Amino acid sequence: MKITNNQFKTIIKDCMARNDIFGAELVCAEVIKNGRLCQTARIMKSKLEKKRDAANAGFAELFRSYRSFLKDERNSEALKCCTEMKKKYPHMWSAWACLGEALLIVHSYKLAEFALVRAIELNPYNKSASLNLLTCLVETQNVVASATYAQKILDIWGDSVEIRRTLQRLHSGTGDKSAEKKDLEFLLSKMPNDVPSLVRLAEIEKLDKQSDIYKVSVELLNSEKSVKTSVSLCWLIAKLSERSGDYAESAAYLKKGAALQFDPEKDNLSHYRKRFEDSLELASFRGVVDSEIPFTPIFVVGLPRSGTSLMEQLLSEAKDVTGAGELPYFTRNQHASDDKGVLSERLSMIRANYSRDVHILAKDRFVVDKMPHNFLSIGAIKRAFPEGKIIYMKRDLRAIAWSQFKSKFSSDGLAYTYNEGSIVEHFEFYMSVMDRWAELHPQDFLEVDYDKMVADPASYLPQVFQYCGLEFNENYLDFHKKGKVTFTASVDQVRKGIYGGSSNSWKNYEPYFSEFFQKLTKLEMDRKH
């Protein structure tokens, strides 16, 4: 199905009936951009420009402000701006589309989905809102709905780079490498030098220095002016060199990429300290938070790359357990207000809001929240959720640090991982935090040794499941064969199942990062004593 002349005129008529001239203009622009009904759309757009009234001019001003905020990465201000748009112009599909886009950017996928559905109800041929809705469905791991809606978009708009990028993420999350490879090949046919596609294809195919992608990547890096693209190329060349056993070259490109990527302004250790101090304050509450919640939360915490994704996958194999992924509740909401109020009220609010939001996502009796940085909030978690379970993933600090350093994360919250000194500083802080929680809550969380777990999972895991109130079955160890959806940075490792050996990969790079590993070795020894 493609947009016909009559359908185009109908949606323009509907916009005009709601006095949404601005929205009608955007529809025309979208149709012209995609090469459909160009002559009709241009004529219509010209007429609409002459009819724009004061009300739509006011919306246009808010729209320009919203775009400006997005450009400057001032996401919270952008969200406030389009919330005002929706409030003032609820009849305009573009207001809902902007709100959905802003919510998507801050990872509020369920709320974004609601806003985008409303935008599409007002304008079924709104391509940008449709693509954003598809992204929401993918991010909430709604595989069937994602596939169905993707086909609907393809029927209306035809194949495109935007759609294939979203489908590629869906297929990556579901582990369908054959479909993902086709997506990547389509993207590279349209954009031969598209670095994200080259990076992912090299990962799927397990390519090394002998591949054409290696030669292309080196040539692109020598001519590339974009810092972001240069960083991705450095990571790609480092991975290809590592697979060929050339650790010296791999180390050189990792250092180059990290130096380009690291921004001291984004090293948020001060923010982490603030979260920890606030959680300490909440931990001092000695009363009872007794409102009922319909599930038992299981919080899996630790440093990123300590095994939190693996633990979530294992636990979610059990009956009545939902693996909810990395829920950003404590990272976003714990300090939402400067008006702290009394501790009991704050804890009750945390419990009520978290329970409400999580219950929307899952109806099972147990919900696993594997946000690693919740280790900062253990005090708040224990007071707000006394029935909750906390699993603390411990792993050799050198293995964690190396896995972090050689990974390219999308989150600014992990900006510290691009600098060896910053990593050491964060790890020192992390150890002091966990020592403090162990002092305050000696029996309130379970320590899980990652390396012991992967060495003998059948013997080690029953005690973990028992702590959570779950029964263990050895069939759970085959979770990686069942095609579950995951979008974390550990997606490829999780799909391999439980395997040992990765904790020693840092040793291949010890000659090239000697000072870094010496400091980490000292930290590891201090932790053991």
Side-chain angles (χ1 to χ4, degrees):
M1 181 179 76
K2 295 183 178 180
I3 297 176
T4 66
N5 198 21
N6 287 336
Q7 289 169 332
F8 170 68
K9 288 180 179 179
T10 298
I11 195 63
I12 294 295
K13 183 178 178 181
D14 288 344
C15 286
M16 296 297 289
R18 292 189 301 274
N19 201 29
D20 185 4
I21 298 175
F22 185 83
E25 286 186 70
L26 289 178
V27 173
C28 291
E30 188 66 66
V31 170
I32 293 169
K33 177 182 175 183
N34 285 275
R36 305 277 178 82
L37 309 172
C38 286
Q39 185 175 359
T40 303
R42 286 195 180 98
I43 294 171
M44 186 70 73
K45 189 171 184 294
S46 178
K47 290 180 179 179
L48 290 167
E49 287 171 351
K50 298 175 183 178
K51 290 185 177 182
R52 189 188 295 124
D53 60 15
N56 278 215
F59 177 84
E61 183 66 29
L62 283 171
F63 183 81
R64 283 192 291 270
S65 297
Y66 167 63
R67 286 297 176 195
S68 177
F69 288 140
L70 283 188
K71 184 178 179 181
D72 296 337
E73 297 184 352
R74 296 158 64 183
N75 295 336
S76 60
E77 291 170 88
L79 183 55
K80 289 179 182 177
C81 186
C82 56
T83 300
E84 184 179 355
M85 267 192 260
K86 187 264 293 184
K87 184 177 179 180
K88 288 185 175 181
Y89 307 97
H91 61 288
M92 296 176 66
W93 67 264
S94 38
W96 290 97
C98 290
L99 179 60
E101 181 182 46
L103 289 165
L104 178 62
I105 289 170
V106 298
H107 310 301
S108 292
Y109 300 119
K110 284 293 182 181
L111 293 175
E113 183 179 338
F114 175 83
L116 292 165
V117 166
R118 180 62 180 143
I120 294 166
E121 286 174 351
L122 293 171
N123 174 10
Y125 301 104
N126 176 6
K127 185 180 181 184
S128 60
S130 298
L131 288 169
N132 284 335
L133 178 56
L134 176 60
T135 300
C136 283
L137 294 172
V138 170
E139 294 296 342
T140 54
Q141 303 183 7
N142 195 334
V143 177
V144 175
S146 297
T148 302
Y149 195 66
Q151 188 57 56
K152 183 177 179 179
I153 295 174
L154 287 169
D155 289 342
I156 294 174
W157 295 104
D159 212 341
S160 69
V161 167
E162 299 100 315
I163 295 173
R164 282 301 185 109
R165 279 208 188 283
T166 308
L167 286 175
Q168 182 259 321
R169 181 158 171 74
L170 172 65
H171 294 141
S172 174
T174 58
D176 189 344
K177 291 190 175 180
S178 177
E180 187 183 3
K181 184 178 177 182
K182 291 179 181 178
D183 296 329
L184 293 168
E185 288 171 346
F186 175 89
L187 292 169
L188 289 169
S189 71
K190 301 294 183 182
M191 304 173 294
N193 295 332
D194 181 53
V195 174
S197 297
L198 291 172
V199 170
R200 186 58 189 160
L201 185 61
E203 187 62 41
I204 290 176
E205 297 286 279
K206 303 300 178 189
L207 302 178
D208 58 20
K209 286 180 66 174
Q210 304 306 312
S211 67
D212 291 337
I213 285 182
Y214 173 82
K215 299 170 187 174
V216 169
S217 300
V218 172
E219 291 173 0
L220 286 174
L221 181 60
N222 291 333
S223 60
E224 182 56 52
K225 293 182 173 58
S226 163
V227 172
K228 184 177 180 180
T229 303
S230 295
V231 169
S232 295
L233 287 166
C234 286
W235 253 257
L236 173 55
I237 296 168
K239 173 59 75 174
L240 297 172
S241 300
E242 180 184 61
R243 289 211 185 101
S244 293
D246 191 342
Y247 298 111
E249 182 176 73
S250 180
Y253 277 103
L254 284 172
K255 288 181 178 181
K256 182 175 181 177
L260 289 170
Q261 179 86 343
F262 182 63
D263 181 356
E265 296 296 321
K266 294 181 179 179
D267 186 352
N268 54 3
L269 187 55
S270 60
H271 172 68
Y272 289 162
R273 293 187 192 279
K274 174 70 172 63
R275 278 187 58 195
F276 174 53
E277 290 167 4
D278 194 55
S279 189
L280 272 176
E281 182 184 4
L282 291 168
S284 67
F285 178 68
R286 291 295 179 264
V288 178
V289 179
D290 58 1
S291 61
E292 291 292 326
I293 60 174
F295 61 91
T296 298
I298 302 173
F299 297 91
V300 183
V301 306
L303 285 167
R305 314 300 288 191
S306 63
T308 54
S309 293
L310 176 59
M311 179 54 67
E312 181 208 20
Q313 291 289 318
L314 286 163
L315 291 172
S316 61
E317 284 294 297
K319 184 180 180 181
D320 293 330
V321 178
T322 293
E326 298 178 358
L327 300 179
Y329 181 84
F330 284 93
T331 59
R332 282 215 312 266
N333 294 339
Q334 197 172 326
H335 311 293
S337 174
D338 292 330
D339 181 15
K340 305 243 177 184
V342 298
L343 296 182
S344 60
E345 292 175 356
R346 292 177 62 204
L347 288 166
S348 294
M349 186 65 71
I350 288 173
R351 182 178 176 88
N353 290 345
Y354 184 91
S355 301
R356 178 200 63 212
D357 294 346
V358 170
H359 197 51
I360 292 173
L361 300 175
K363 306 299 182 184
D364 283 321
R365 289 176 49 231
F366 297 86
V367 176
V368 183
D369 179 347
K370 56 143 278 187
M371 174 61 77
H373 282 105
N374 278 342
F375 77 83
L376 294 162
S377 303
I378 285 177
I381 289 170
K382 286 308 302 179
R383 294 308 179 209
F385 300 97
E387 72 276 74
K389 307 294 182 180
I390 299 178
I391 295 175
Y392 162 38
M393 299 299 298
K394 293 183 70 173
R395 190 182 182 188
D396 189 312
L397 293 175
R398 293 161 296 192
I400 296 174
W402 183 244
S403 184
Q404 288 185 359
F405 185 76
K406 70 174 186 175
S407 298
K408 188 174 181 297
F409 298 103
S410 58
S411 170
D412 283 346
L414 295 171
Y416 73 88
T417 63
Y418 305 115
N419 179 272
E420 298 104 300
S422 187
I423 290 175
V424 172
E425 188 177 8
H426 275 256
F427 280 24
E428 289 173 337
F429 169 67
Y430 161 77
M431 289 173 60
S432 69
V433 169
M434 293 311 302
D435 287 345
R436 184 64 172 142
W437 292 140
E439 177 185 332
L440 292 173
H441 304 283
Q443 306 298 324
D444 288 342
F445 53 88
L446 178 71
E447 291 187 3
V448 172
D449 187 309
Y450 173 86
D451 291 310
K452 289 181 180 179
M453 180 182 73
V454 299
D456 189 4
S459 298
Y460 194 95
L461 284 170
Q463 62 180 315
V464 179
F465 277 69
Q466 183 180 18
Y467 165 77
C468 295
L470 303 170
E471 291 189 14
F472 177 71
N473 187 313
E474 285 197 26
N475 291 332
Y476 297 165
L477 303 180
D478 294 327
F479 68 89
H480 58 291
K481 299 177 181 179
K482 299 179 182 179
K484 284 193 174 183
V485 184
T486 181
F487 294 115
T488 71
S490 306
V491 57
D492 290 311
Q493 288 86 343
V494 167
R495 299 228 175 273
K496 295 175 184 175
I498 300 176
Y499 66 101
S502 62
S503 290
N504 292 318
S505 64
W506 62 271
K507 294 180 180 179
N508 294 318
Y509 291 86
E510 196 169 11
Y512 315 106
F513 293 87
S514 57
E515 184 178 354
F516 180 41
F517 286 121
Q518 284 171 11
K519 291 179 179 178
L520 291 167
T521 298
K522 184 178 183 304
L523 283 181
E524 185 66 28
M525 296 301 295
D526 290 344
R527 182 167 72 168
K528 290 179 179 178
H529 291 103

